[in-house]
């Protein structure tokens, strides 16, 4: 077999592996009860909670990550390599460890004073957002930096020579040109936030109708041996995630 | 008038110290230099895209080095043109006019005139991706000139063009400059381009302006060996000043074992007796003496016997390499094809060559 065919076979094997994994879940379903589980109040709450938390997380990641990505892409400053390295921390650190670090932070004097001032994170909704943010912010910044790297800084230079301020040059020229790349980055981060489990469960806990996101609901259903609910929740989560990834492909295709 | 005064800039191993540049209003100024000489750094410093360690940039006597790029009134045309791909040609052209004062009607009228000169009226609703190379150049020039900048900076805009398009855009630049009289600083390493476009040329080598002057002066009368070598001048012969006479107006210089007396109009600066110099001889001004033909009295002293060692066909010209008798050196001579044919020269042929005094140029060693 030639090199090209071998490579294609490897790609197809990976695809079949994941497809098999999804289809194997269907063998446990009896074809009824899907809607019953889907429309159950706790499932709908989990879906709503997950969508809301992931959306807020993504907005926060964009608000902070976009200027950070711009700085890393376009400027040089002392400690840039160190900052760049730290962005990859969530990728090499287990989410549970990240969640534990956050939990421990709120037991330090600074963390405790934040909690005492009424902004509650531990076992609360803001804790879900914070845990997801800690997991995806680095990735979001890295992906947005890649999107900005693809746009030549010459465009901004020329725009500035034509009377635009640095802000104006960014919003009128670089942002529209990088828009698809930035949108892809944010969709990917949103999908990752939706599926985040380790850090969330450690910081926000597993409280039903309070901090039970989709991944936590799956964990809880499995722990209580409710296989049908587990599978349906997995399929819903996989459906949301795959739809987001497909949206990324569509956005990239048009770029 | 635009001035760069005592510019000091360091970037990695590259250093530029106390660089001065003077751009006259309405003059097409070419900054000519080899790759890595710091041309682009100067451009970026003038426009405000690069911080420098010391120095001033003045427009009309006012210091602008602390102003942000958008408030300097300087347009910039990079090599890749950087046309905004998400905007139509019209939007690209209008980009620099939006921040300008004046009514919409005045702006439109001004732009219409420019569109007419550039012949891009049929492209206004198209996007840059669909334009040909020449059309893109025209639009980029229009966009840069639309806000009527006090200075237009061009960073090797013709470097990546094929020869036909390059000639077209060079002609366009000349036409535009004649009609709009804008002040330009055009950076290039291309000698032909510099000669064609530059009314004034500054030669930049290793972060230093080696010579600045009218194009004929720079190309025909280089002030330093570095400039001469960069300009590709090969007939440079190391000699010595033997005598300075008539209050410094006449120089007697050794040349291939003889003495030649030249006016100081043909020297880069004043020289002292005994000083080592280079004599430059323009290849197109060396004459080949035909046997049996009468020779002018003024030429008799400067006739040298030797041999044709090599002939090169350069298309419109022939290059002849002449080795003087008893000397291990070559003199390059450029002959138009019709003269070459009349002389029926061949390699190995014994000939005599003559030089007029006016064809020599003395520069410091």
């Amino acid at each position: 077999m030639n090199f090209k065919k071998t490579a294609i076979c490897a790609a197809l094997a990976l695809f079949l592996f994941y497809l098999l994994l999804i289809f194997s879940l269907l063998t446990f379903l009896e074809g009824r009860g899907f809607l019953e589980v889907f429309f159950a109040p706790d499932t709908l709450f989990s879906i709503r909670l997950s969508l809301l938390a992931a959306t807020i997380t993504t907005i926060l990641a964009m608000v902070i990550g976009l200027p950070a990505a711009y700085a890393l892409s376009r400027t040089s400053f002392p400690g840039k390599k160190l900052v760049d390295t730290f962005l990859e921390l969530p990728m090499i650190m287990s989410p549970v460890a990240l969640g534990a670090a956050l939990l421990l932070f709120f037991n330090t004097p600074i963390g405790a004073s934040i909690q005492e001032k009424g902004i509650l994170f531990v076992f609360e909704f803001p804790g879900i957002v914070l845990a997801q943010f800690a997991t995806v912010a680095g990735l979001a910044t890295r992906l947005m930096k890649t999107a900005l790297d693809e746009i030549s800084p010459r465009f901004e230079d020329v725009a500035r020579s034509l009377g635009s301020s640095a802000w104006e040059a960014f919003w009128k020229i670089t942002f529209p040109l990088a828009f698809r790349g930035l949108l892809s980055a944010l969709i990917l981060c949103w999908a990752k936030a939706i599926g985040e489990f380790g850090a969330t469960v450690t910081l926000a806990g597993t409280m039903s109708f309070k901090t039970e996101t989709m991944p936590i609901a799956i964990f809880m259903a499995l722990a209580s041996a409710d296989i049908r609910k587990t599978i349906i929740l997995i399929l819903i989560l996989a459906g949301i995630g795959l739809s987001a990834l497909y949206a990324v492909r569509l956005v990239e295709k048009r770029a | 008038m635009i001035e760069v005064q005592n510019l000091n800039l360091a970037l990695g191993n590259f250093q530029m110290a106390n660089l001065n540049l003077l751009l006259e209003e309405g003059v097409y100024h070419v900054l000519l230099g080899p790759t890595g000489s710091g041309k682009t750094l100067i451009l970026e410093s003038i426009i405000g895209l690069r911080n420098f360690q010391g120095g001033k940039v003045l427009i009309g006597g006012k210091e602008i080095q602390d102003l942000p790029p958008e408030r300097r009134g300087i347009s910039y045309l990079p090599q890749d043109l950087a046309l905004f791909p998400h905007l139509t040609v019209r939007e690209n052209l209008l980009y620099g006019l939006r921040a300008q004062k004046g009514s919409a009607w005045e702006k439109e009228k001004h732009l219409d005139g420019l569109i007419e000169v550039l012949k891009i009226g049929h492209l206004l609703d198209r996007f840059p991706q669909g334009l040909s190379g020449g059309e893109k150049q025209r639009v980029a020039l229009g966009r840069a000139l639309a806000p009527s900048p006090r200075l237009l900076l061009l960073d090797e805009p013709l470097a990546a063009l094929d020869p036909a398009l390059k000639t077209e855009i060079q002609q366009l630049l000349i036409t535009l400059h004649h009609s709009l009289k804008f002040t330009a600083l055009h950076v290039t390493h291309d000698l032909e381009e510099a000669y064609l476009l530059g009314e004034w040329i500054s030669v930049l080598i290793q972060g230093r302006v080696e010579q600045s002057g009218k194009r004929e002066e720079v190309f025909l009368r280089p002030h330093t060996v570095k400039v001469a070598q960069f300009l590709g001048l090969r007939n440079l012969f190391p000699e010595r000043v033997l005598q300075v006479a008539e209050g410094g107006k006449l120089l007697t210089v050794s040349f291939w074992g003889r003495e030649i007396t030249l006016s100081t109009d043909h020297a880069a600066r004043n020289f002292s007796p005994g000083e080592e110099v280079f004599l430059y001889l323009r290849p197109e001004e060396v004459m080949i003496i035909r046997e049996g033909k009468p020779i002018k009295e003024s030429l008799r002293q400067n006739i040298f016997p030797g041999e044709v060692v090599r002939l090169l066909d350069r298309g419109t010209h022939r290059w002849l390499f002449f080795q003087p008798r008893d000397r291990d050196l070559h003199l390059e001579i450029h002959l138009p094809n019709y003269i070459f044919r009349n002389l029926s020269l061949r390699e190995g042929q014994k000939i005599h060559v003559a030089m007029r005094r006016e064809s020599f140029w003395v520069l410091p060693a």
Side-chain angles (χ1 to χ4, degrees):
Chain A
M1 203 187 297
N2 68 24
F3 179 75
K4 219 173 185 177
K5 280 180 182 165
T6 311
I8 292 169
C9 282
L12 289 175
L14 270 175
F15 167 70
L16 286 174
F17 170 71
Y18 287 116
L19 199 65
L20 198 68
L21 217 59
I22 301 284
F23 273 102
S24 68
L25 297 174
L26 299 175
T27 59
F28 289 92
L29 287 179
E30 291 163 0
R32 59 188 170 81
F34 182 89
L35 292 178
E36 189 186 320
V37 173
F38 186 89
F39 288 109
D42 54 346
T43 308
L44 287 176
F45 177 84
S46 291
I47 293 172
R48 273 199 303 268
L49 185 68
S50 288
L51 294 177
L52 182 68
T55 305
I56 294 172
T57 300
T58 306
I59 291 168
L60 284 175
M62 188 192 76
V63 168
I64 299 169
L66 185 56
Y70 185 87
L72 291 167
S73 172
R74 294 285 201 269
T75 65
S76 57
F77 55 88
K80 181 178 168 180
K81 279 189 180 155
L82 195 67
V83 173
D84 209 12
T85 307
F86 262 72
L87 291 179
E88 280 167 9
L89 193 69
M91 287 178 229
I92 51 131
M93 207 164 150
S94 147
V96 176
L98 212 58
L102 285 168
L103 192 62
L104 291 171
F105 168 76
F106 286 108
N107 282 301
T108 62
I110 302 170
S113 73
I114 293 171
Q115 292 258 95
E116 279 162 17
K117 278 173 186 152
I119 313 165
L120 299 173
F121 286 95
V122 180
F123 305 131
E124 296 287 343
F125 176 74
I128 301 171
V129 174
L130 183 62
Q132 289 184 352
F133 179 81
T135 317
V136 305
L139 177 70
T141 307
R142 173 55 51 85
L143 291 174
M144 286 192 284
K145 177 187 176 296
T146 307
L148 292 174
D149 283 343
E150 283 174 18
I151 309 301
S152 165
R154 282 280 168 250
F155 290 120
E156 273 182 58
D157 293 346
V158 171
R160 295 202 68 189
S161 79
L162 294 169
S164 285
S165 66
W167 282 97
E168 201 183 7
F170 176 77
W171 288 114
K172 281 190 173 168
I173 304 299
T174 306
F175 186 76
L177 290 177
F179 181 73
R180 288 179 193 281
L182 295 172
L183 187 62
S184 297
L186 293 177
I187 295 173
L188 276 173
C189 289
W190 185 82
K192 187 168 167 56
I194 281 267
E196 209 295 310
F197 171 73
T200 311
V201 79
T202 315
L203 185 65
T206 59
M207 282 175 279
S208 188
F209 287 102
K210 191 174 183 189
T211 61
E212 200 177 56
T213 59
M214 288 287 290
I216 292 171
I218 292 167
F219 175 74
M220 296 305 288
L222 189 65
S224 58
D226 189 344
I227 301 301
R228 194 179 63 163
K229 188 178 177 186
T230 305
I231 292 167
I232 291 170
L233 289 173
I234 290 173
L235 289 175
I236 294 168
L237 191 63
I240 294 171
L242 284 171
S243 304
L245 292 177
Y246 189 66
V248 170
R249 298 288 176 278
L250 287 180
V251 167
E252 284 173 350
K253 198 178 170 187
R254 282 184 199 167
Chain B
M1 190 183 291
I2 293 130
E3 288 173 86
V4 176
Q5 289 180 356
N6 301 317
L7 184 74
N8 284 283
L9 206 155
L11 187 71
N13 292 331
F14 182 83
Q15 287 227 326
M16 194 178 282
N18 296 321
L19 181 129
N20 290 294
L21 205 59
L22 190 67
L23 313 178
E24 293 285 347
E25 206 89 23
V27 170
Y28 202 103
H29 194 124
V30 169
L31 187 59
L32 176 66
T35 306
S37 57
K39 303 185 296 289
T40 299
L41 290 180
I42 294 175
L43 243 60
E44 289 176 347
S45 302
I46 293 174
I47 201 168
L49 294 171
R50 181 167 295 281
N51 293 327
F52 45 85
Q53 283 74 43
K56 292 177 182 173
V57 181
L58 299 103
I59 294 187
K62 284 184 185 166
E63 290 186 26
I64 60 154
Q65 71 273 6
D66 297 325
L67 293 177
E70 61 270 22
R71 288 180 54 203
R72 296 190 179 200
I74 300 173
S75 279
Y76 173 51
L77 186 68
Q79 188 180 338
D80 59 4
L81 306 178
L83 285 170
F84 306 137
H86 60 305
L87 303 181
T88 63
V89 168
R90 185 192 299 276
E91 288 165 335
N92 265 281
L93 293 170
L94 281 168
Y95 194 91
L97 282 174
R98 280 188 274 197
Q100 299 245 312
K101 287 175 187 169
S103 67
W105 181 82
E106 282 172 334
K107 289 178 189 176
E108 282 289 331
K109 196 181 164 198
H110 167 71
L111 198 59
D112 285 347
L114 200 57
I115 288 167
E116 200 180 319
V117 178
L118 288 161
K119 300 187 179 93
I120 51 173
H122 59 295
L123 306 173
L124 295 178
D125 295 323
R126 287 169 63 182
F127 284 91
Q129 299 91 302
L131 304 181
S132 70
E135 287 169 342
K136 282 180 186 169
Q137 291 277 342
R138 285 170 185 271
V139 174
L141 270 168
R143 183 184 62 179
L145 289 169
S148 306
R150 285 186 281 184
L151 172 65
L152 173 64
L153 299 177
L154 304 103
D155 191 3
E156 308 222 27
L158 314 177
L161 304 185
D162 61 64
L165 186 54
K166 199 173 188 172
T167 308
E168 180 194 323
I169 303 301
Q170 283 168 344
Q171 294 303 325
L172 176 68
L173 280 169
I174 292 168
T175 310
L176 276 175
H177 187 250
H178 274 298
S179 54
L180 301 174
K181 295 283 174 217
F182 53 85
T183 311
L185 180 62
H186 180 125
V187 154
T188 185
H189 62 268
D190 187 318
L191 304 177
E192 198 185 324
E193 185 177 309
Y195 194 84
L196 191 70
L197 297 170
E199 293 173 301
W200 195 271
I201 294 173
S202 293
V203 182
L204 185 78
I205 298 172
Q206 291 168 336
R208 216 178 101 89
V209 176
E210 288 283 331
Q211 189 171 348
S212 199
K214 288 182 180 170
R215 70 172 149 209
E216 295 83 5
E217 272 176 43
V218 172
F219 274 87
L220 303 181
R221 298 176 168 196
H223 281 189
T224 65
V225 174
K226 273 186 191 174
V227 173
Q229 284 171 342
F230 171 66
L231 296 174
L233 312 182
R234 280 182 286 269
N235 288 342
L236 287 167
F237 303 103
E239 298 289 351
R240 189 181 294 275
V241 175
L242 301 173
Q243 198 184 339
V244 180
E246 291 190 20
K249 286 182 181 169
L250 288 177
L251 285 176
T252 304
V253 185
S254 63
F255 181 63
W256 293 359
R258 296 187 197 175
E259 289 181 10
I260 180 165
T261 301
L262 306 168
S263 155
T264 43
D265 290 345
H266 297 282
R269 61 164 169 81
N270 292 328
F271 293 98
S272 312
E275 201 173 336
E276 288 185 351
V277 291
F278 272 97
L279 271 186
Y280 165 58
L281 197 52
R282 290 169 61 189
E284 64 275 17
E285 297 212 347
V286 180
M287 287 173 281
I288 293 168
I289 307 295
R290 288 188 193 189
E291 279 183 38
K293 283 263 179 182
I295 301 162
K296 277 185 190 170
E297 189 55 41
S298 59
L299 283 175
R300 282 184 193 280
Q301 282 184 322
N302 300 328
I303 294 174
F304 295 88
E307 182 183 331
V308 178
V309 289
R310 204 168 162 216
L311 286 166
L312 273 182
D313 187 353
R314 303 284 298 189
T316 54
H317 278 67
R318 295 286 172 138
W319 284 14
L320 183 155
F321 294 89
F322 170 80
Q323 183 173 11
R325 189 190 295 161
D326 304 329
R327 293 206 165 256
D328 189 19
L329 54 86
H330 289 170
L331 174 71
E332 189 175 301
I333 304 168
H334 297 174
L335 297 170
N337 279 342
Y338 73 95
I339 293 184
F340 175 77
R341 279 194 297 272
N342 286 346
L343 292 168
S344 309
L345 294 166
R346 62 180 194 285
E347 286 178 3
Q349 187 176 343
K350 305 285 183 203
I351 57 168
H352 285 78
V353 297
M355 303 94 171
R356 289 180 301 136
R357 285 178 189 177
E358 295 75 30
S359 305
F360 285 96
W361 177 250
V362 190
L363 60 158

